[in-house]
Amino acid sequence: MVRAVLVEDDKLMARTIQHYCREAFGKSLVSLKTFDELTPALYSIKENPVDLLLLDINLKGQSGYEILKLPEKDSFYTIVISSDKQNAVTAFDFGVLDFVAKPFTRERFIAAIDRMKAASASKADSMRKNSISLKKDGMIEVIRFQDILYLEASGNFTEIHLKSGRKELIRKTMESVLAELNSDFFRSHRSFIINLSEVKKILHGKGNHFKVLLGDSAEVALSRSNYNSLKDMLG
């Protein structure tokens, strides 16, 4: 699903872009907000989630680059549409995805949208490879591997302990979760999977029992059978 914002002060050009945009995205375009001035566009982008910004640079004497100075600009793709080709270098310095020079053909605009689709698909694929999804309150929440401290078995469920101190219960067994994780994780015990990047030291307890110190203060069990493997990994 795509939520787009169009900032264009030429009404005829705005209608053309709207038409091409709806054609390119079809039913996946859930919203297309259009603004002909900078201030309301800035406010909308600050307050609402955006996937794609279609941006004219010259807006009634104001610069569209003001939008690209927002901290939110990294959360969406930007395609600049401008008649001033000299702005292209500056636009790419701001990290825009594409620069479409006016006047442009339908094919050139569709090519820019296809580039956005490819970048979005690549980003989604990378996120799938580096995160776990869980259902929460009727929605899907994505938890990045880098935010996980360790995981703990809880019957047929797995409890995810995050670096922030928050805990989340996922309806998957440890075995199935382990299959989704990458090489940054290690099963230290039948009931625990740890994030190797968070290991501070191996703790030796009484009776040849071991634990792993993670983060600032979390202590997780380490089985004797896995002690040597972890020690070798840590060098």
Side-chain angles (χ1 to χ4, degrees):
M1 298 300 175
V2 177
R3 297 157 296 188
V5 169
L6 168 60
V7 185
E8 171 61 67
D9 59 1
D10 184 307
K11 292 184 179 180
L12 180 59
M13 177 60 68
R15 285 196 293 270
T16 299
I17 295 172
Q18 289 169 344
H19 175 72
Y20 288 163
C21 203
R22 293 190 179 101
E23 179 184 348
F25 287 113
K27 292 182 179 180
S28 64
L29 184 66
V30 295
S31 67
L32 176 55
K33 297 180 180 179
T34 303
F35 302 93
D36 60 3
E37 294 183 359
L38 182 62
T39 300
L42 282 166
Y43 179 79
S44 179
I45 290 171
K46 287 179 181 179
E47 297 297 320
N48 301 286
V50 179
D51 301 302
L52 173 63
L53 171 65
L54 299 162
L55 178 65
D56 187 11
I57 296 302
N58 301 308
L59 299 164
K60 299 179 180 177
Q62 293 181 298
S63 173
Y65 287 132
E66 291 302 313
I67 295 178
L68 300 183
K69 294 177 182 178
L70 293 173
E72 291 87 355
K73 64 106 174 175
D74 292 327
S75 66
F76 53 80
Y77 296 103
T78 299
I79 297 174
V80 169
I81 304 173
S82 174
S83 58
D84 188 355
K85 296 180 181 179
Q86 292 181 344
N87 269 312
V89 174
T90 303
F92 284 114
D93 285 342
F94 273 101
V96 305
L97 181 68
D98 203 350
F99 184 99
V100 178
K102 298 177 183 176
F104 56 87
T105 64
R106 169 190 173 278
E107 288 71 25
R108 177 64 183 91
F109 182 86
I110 298 298
I113 297 301
D114 286 343
R115 188 174 181 184
M116 178 263 180
K117 290 178 179 178
S120 182
S122 177
K123 184 177 180 180
D125 185 56
S126 176
M127 183 174 290
R128 282 193 294 271
K129 291 178 180 178
N130 295 283
S131 64
I132 290 178
S133 300
L134 64 91
K135 291 183 179 180
K136 185 178 180 182
D137 301 326
M139 301 178 68
I140 301 295
E141 179 177 354
V142 176
I143 296 178
R144 298 178 302 173
F145 289 167
Q146 65 189 58
D147 295 329
I148 297 174
L149 187 61
Y150 68 93
L151 304 96
E152 182 178 3
S154 179
N156 290 324
F157 295 79
T158 298
E159 189 170 58
I160 302 174
H161 295 253
L162 300 172
K163 295 177 185 179
S164 64
R166 185 164 61 95
K167 301 177 185 178
E168 293 291 351
L169 197 64
I170 189 169
R171 194 185 294 269
K172 294 181 180 179
T173 64
M174 286 281 281
E175 285 72 21
S176 61
V177 170
L178 186 60
E180 295 183 35
L181 298 171
N182 59 25
S183 58
D184 292 334
F185 291 86
F186 174 77
R187 190 161 191 172
S188 65
H189 184 274
R190 58 187 173 84
S191 297
F192 293 97
I193 298 172
I194 62 174
N195 186 339
L196 290 171
S197 66
E198 292 298 312
V199 175
K200 302 305 179 185
K201 64 172 67 173
I202 296 176
L203 305 173
H204 296 252
K206 294 181 179 180
N208 210 26
H209 286 84
F210 304 99
K211 288 185 178 182
V212 182
L213 177 64
L214 302 170
D216 295 328
S217 59
E219 295 183 7
V220 172
L222 172 63
S223 68
R224 280 179 286 180
S225 60
N226 289 329
Y227 168 77
N228 288 328
S229 295
L230 180 60
K231 190 176 180 181
D232 291 340
M233 283 182 175
L234 298 177

